[in-house]
Amino acid sequence: MVEVPRFDMPFAARLSPHADRVREHTRSWVRDMGMLGGAPWTEAFYDAADYGGFGPLTHPTASFEDLKHINDWHTWGFYVTDAFREGFLRPRNVVGGKAFVAGLKSVLGGAGSPLHPAEKGLADLVTRSTLDPDDLTHLSEFLDALLWELHNTAQGRVPDPIDLVEMRRRSVATELSAKLARASVRAELPEELLRNSTMRALVDSFGDVPALRQEIVGFDRTYATGASTTSAVLAVQRFFDCELQQAVSVVADLIAARLRQIGSVLGELPSLADEYGLDAEARAGLHRYAEALKSWLAGELLWTSRSGRFSSVPTPSPKSFHSPSGLGTAALVIR
């Protein structure tokens, strides 16, 4: 077993005042999609993981309607990842994994009838979303990343650390998460600005933080049990020929470095706004986007540290996840 280090977070987490209602909505949605049938999610595991509490922590300022939609997307992503791990990754079922991904891509392309909960959830989300070509590309990359991990694991191969970090950005849907955060605060920004190398570095680092941290937190449940060889901790251990706990420390240091890089990039945003000649409205949107990413990272850390998703013995999530009610509680800061 690895010892999970203490993760520093320079940003404050906040809980949405809509948390309880979002939980109710999300539970109803996953049940309607057939996701609580026992594999991979039992009712007890779902409650312990608190998937319904993810969005309220990562998008604390979003409206109730937006938050329901955002949390459905994230919950679907969690379900697909969990279903793929238990159904295909752990048993090394490459043929089945390819068919699973092909079916989801078919639904994404508007063809075929949804057959299982992952396909049903995606079909429902697609009908309620406005997906542009970039969104479709990123969703396909998310699914391809699942197969990449399966192929590595089936062959007993531990990937190169650099390759693994790049692919993890896809497997946690970094681009889509950043876009949902931007949309939740109505930040309309020029495409040329979003494609700027500084903004790209911001999004890449934003994705690396949760991706790498969850590999440490979930190591004992996933990698120590042999479910996958595609782990940043294992990659560092092999690359540097070091002890397992030393590898954990290296990955934790990398997470801290990414957070420092995010802080540095955020400090450059005013100059970037000047460079692109943003008007007052766009500058305000850029500021809201930056704040949304900070809230997302802080909320994700709190959710990950308390969620039973990463535990070998899941227990019900703490009551402190729940939102208080009444005047003055709409912007609760959790420290």
Side-chain angles (χ1 to χ4, degrees):
M1 295 180 65
V2 303
E3 181 180 345
V4 177
R6 180 184 183 277
F7 298 108
D8 291 329
M9 174 53 61
F11 316 125
R14 294 186 293 168
L15 183 64
S16 168
H18 309 301
D20 289 335
R21 288 198 294 163
V22 171
R23 277 193 181 88
E24 292 174 3
H25 161 80
T26 306
R27 173 176 274 280
S28 295
W29 185 73
V30 298
R31 182 177 286 112
D32 290 344
M33 296 301 108
M35 295 177 183
L36 294 181
W41 288 357
T42 62
E43 297 262 357
F45 178 78
Y46 176 86
D47 289 339
D50 192 32
Y51 293 108
F54 181 83
L57 279 171
T58 53
H59 299 76
T61 64
S63 69
F64 177 53
E65 290 302 319
D66 285 348
L67 196 49
K68 288 192 298 181
H69 186 66
I70 289 168
N71 208 56
D72 286 350
W73 267 113
H74 282 296
T75 301
W76 173 81
F78 286 131
Y79 181 84
V80 169
T81 302
D82 290 352
F84 191 85
R85 182 187 62 241
E86 298 306 321
F88 310 106
L89 189 60
R90 193 180 294 279
R92 310 313 198 241
N93 184 354
V94 175
V95 174
K98 287 181 177 180
F100 180 82
V101 167
L104 287 170
K105 285 189 174 183
S106 178
V107 171
L108 191 60
S113 299
L115 300 176
H116 52 70
E119 291 183 1
K120 292 176 181 177
L122 179 58
D124 180 68
L125 287 165
V126 168
T127 61
R128 296 190 281 122
S129 306
T130 303
L131 301 176
D132 60 29
D134 283 344
D135 296 330
L136 296 176
T137 296
H138 295 143
L139 281 166
S140 292
E141 289 176 346
F142 162 69
L143 296 172
D144 289 338
L146 299 176
L147 289 179
W148 178 80
E149 182 167 0
L150 176 56
H151 284 299
N152 277 298
T153 299
Q155 296 174 33
R157 183 172 60 232
V158 178
D160 175 271
I162 295 177
D163 290 342
L164 192 145
V165 169
E166 291 179 351
M167 288 302 293
R168 273 290 174 255
R169 292 170 186 163
R170 298 181 180 184
S171 67
V172 299
T174 296
E175 296 285 348
L176 293 170
S177 293
K179 185 173 182 178
L180 285 171
R182 191 167 69 249
S184 74
V185 293
R186 304 294 189 268
E188 299 291 338
L189 300 172
E191 281 298 320
E192 58 270 23
L193 171 64
L194 294 173
R195 298 185 189 281
N196 173 278
S197 59
T198 299
M199 296 297 290
R200 297 299 319 137
L202 174 62
V203 172
D204 285 347
S205 294
F206 161 76
D208 289 347
V209 170
L212 294 173
R213 184 168 51 232
Q214 289 181 18
E215 292 212 347
I216 293 176
V217 176
F219 185 87
D220 290 336
R221 178 178 173 83
T222 301
Y223 307 108
T225 61
S228 174
T229 61
T230 309
S231 159
V233 174
L234 294 179
V236 167
Q237 182 187 31
R238 177 165 297 188
F239 186 81
F240 291 105
D241 190 24
C242 62
E243 297 295 327
L244 184 62
Q245 197 60 45
Q246 288 178 294
V248 170
S249 296
V250 171
V251 176
D253 288 343
L254 179 57
I255 295 169
R258 289 292 192 265
L259 280 170
R260 289 193 296 271
Q261 183 176 15
I262 289 170
S264 177
V265 171
L266 292 177
E268 298 177 28
L269 294 186
S271 297
L272 203 60
D274 291 339
E275 179 183 341
Y276 281 82
L278 299 187
D279 59 21
E281 182 178 353
R283 286 173 184 268
L286 182 59
H287 175 74
R288 292 195 302 274
Y289 179 36
E291 292 300 309
L293 293 181
K294 289 160 63 175
S295 291
W296 198 103
L297 290 168
E300 187 276 337
L301 172 59
L302 184 57
W303 181 82
T304 297
S305 66
R306 301 184 183 186
S307 171
R309 181 181 192 233
F310 308 97
S311 171
S312 57
V313 185
T315 56
S317 55
K319 292 185 182 299
S320 56
F321 263 65
H322 291 275
S323 173
S325 59
L327 294 175
T329 59
L332 172 69
V333 177
I334 305 172
R335 298 189 185 279

